[in-house]
Amino acid sequence: MTSQPANRVAIVTGAAGGIGQATVSRLLVAGYRVLAVDRDEQGLRAAAQGRADLDLLVRDVTDPRAPAAILQAALQQHGRVDALVNNAG
């Protein structure tokens, strides 16, 4: 992953803990801007401490409107999406 250009943008669902949080960390190290998505706002905020290149979005992916809202947020903030990690269980 470290060979990716620094201007890449990734969305990670289920990002507040476990595999999602580890994936976010790995993408950040690889130079991605990350939109971390989870329904657990407190968990997202705890996972984001000290990370300036991480954007948070509180959404429940079981809501049928969530995918469009997540994509819209990523495009508004970054203008593109290069990677999507559907990790939410």
Side-chain angles (χ1 to χ4, degrees):
M1 269 200 265
T2 57
S3 64
Q4 296 292 332
N7 64 345
R8 298 280 181 156
V9 177
I11 297 171
V12 179
T13 65
I19 293 170
Q21 189 175 15
T23 302
V24 167
S25 293
R26 183 83 174 146
L27 288 167
L28 290 171
V29 167
Y32 279 77
R33 290 285 310 189
V34 178
L35 176 61
V37 181
D38 204 295
R39 66 182 180 182
D40 177 5
E41 182 175 5
Q42 185 176 357
L44 274 178
R45 292 199 186 286
Q49 288 193 0
R51 295 180 168 164
D53 48 359
L54 179 61
D55 297 307
L56 307 178
L57 182 63
V58 178
R59 286 282 188 272
D60 184 344
V61 297
T62 63
D63 180 342
R65 298 168 295 184
I70 294 167
L71 180 59
Q72 181 180 16
L75 292 175
Q76 284 178 343
Q77 292 175 23
H78 303 290
R80 62 188 287 163
V81 174
D82 299 293
L84 172 61
V85 180
N86 286 312
N87 174 69

